[in-house]
Amino acid sequence: HVEALADVVHAVPPFDANLMALVSHEVNHVIVWNGLGRPGTSFLNEGLASALLSERFHNSGPSFFHHWVGTHIGQYPPLSRLIDDDEWRNVEQARAYTVGASFLAYLLQMYDADKLRKIYSSDSADFSSRFQSVYGITLDQAQNEWQTFSQGR
C-alpha cells in the first residue's frame, strides 16, 4: 500500500481480474502522487486511484462504479461524511472506495481534470468550501447531479 511505502509486492497466481484491478489501483496511487503530490483526504486518495482504473482488462472501473451507485441509492453515506477523514475510517471500505471512485470519475467525465486538481490537496475541513469555490455548486448539489447521472448507467 502506498502509505506504507512498500518496496516489494508479492502476487501469487492466478493473475485474474481482481488482482489486476488491485495492482492497477496501487499503481495509480504512485502515478497520481508523483504528478500531484499527496492528496488532502482519504476520499481523494482512494477514490481517485479507483476512478482512474482502466476497463480494458477488467470490469472494475467507472462504468461498474456508476452502475453500483445508481442501483444502491440510500445504501451508502453522503459525500459530506466521506470527505471527513475521521468519518472515512468508520465507513465500510468497499462502499467508501466505490462511492469515492464513482463521484470522482463523474467529476472527471462531466467537468475537467483541472478543477479536480484544484481541490486535490484540500483537507477535510476545507473540502466543501473549496469544492463550491471551484465547481460553482455545493457538494450536496453535486451529489444530487452525480446520483441522477449514475441512475442512468
Side-chain angles (χ1 to χ4, degrees):
H1 190 272
V2 174
E3 289 186 3
L5 301 176
D7 293 324
V8 178
V9 175
H10 296 277
V12 295
F15 194 65
D16 61 8
N18 289 333
L19 184 56
M20 182 67 169
L22 173 64
V23 170
S24 297
H25 171 94
E26 297 306 330
V27 168
N28 285 345
H29 280 301
V30 174
I31 293 167
V32 171
W33 280 35
N34 277 312
L36 299 175
R38 190 178 185 111
T41 65
S42 296
F43 174 78
L44 283 164
N45 184 41
E46 299 301 345
L48 189 56
S50 292
L52 297 173
L53 288 174
S54 168
E55 295 172 327
R56 182 174 179 190
F57 299 110
H58 49 80
N59 294 328
S60 293
S63 297
F64 169 82
F65 300 132
H66 294 323
H67 177 76
W68 188 92
V69 164
T71 58
H72 291 82
I73 302 290
Q75 297 178 31
Y76 49 84
L79 295 175
S80 59
R81 184 171 170 212
L82 292 175
I83 62 166
D84 183 336
D85 276 349
D86 292 331
E87 291 290 325
W88 173 270
R89 293 176 188 91
N90 298 320
V91 175
E92 194 267 315
Q93 291 297 280
R95 287 181 190 269
Y97 279 53
T98 299
V99 171
S102 176
F103 182 70
L104 295 172
Y106 167 78
L107 292 179
L108 288 169
Q109 290 169 315
M110 302 306 289
Y111 296 92
D112 62 58
D114 190 52
K115 286 185 177 188
L116 188 57
R117 184 188 56 77
K118 289 177 181 175
I119 66 167
Y120 180 77
S121 63
S122 301
D123 64 18
S124 297
D126 297 327
F127 188 94
S128 290
S129 61
R130 182 74 176 143
F131 183 92
Q132 186 169 355
S133 173
V134 169
Y135 285 91
I137 57 174
T138 67
L139 189 59
D140 287 340
Q141 289 170 315
Q143 178 170 327
N144 290 335
E145 291 177 5
W146 155 68
Q147 288 175 324
T148 299
F149 168 87
S150 295
Q151 285 176 316
R153 303 287 173 221

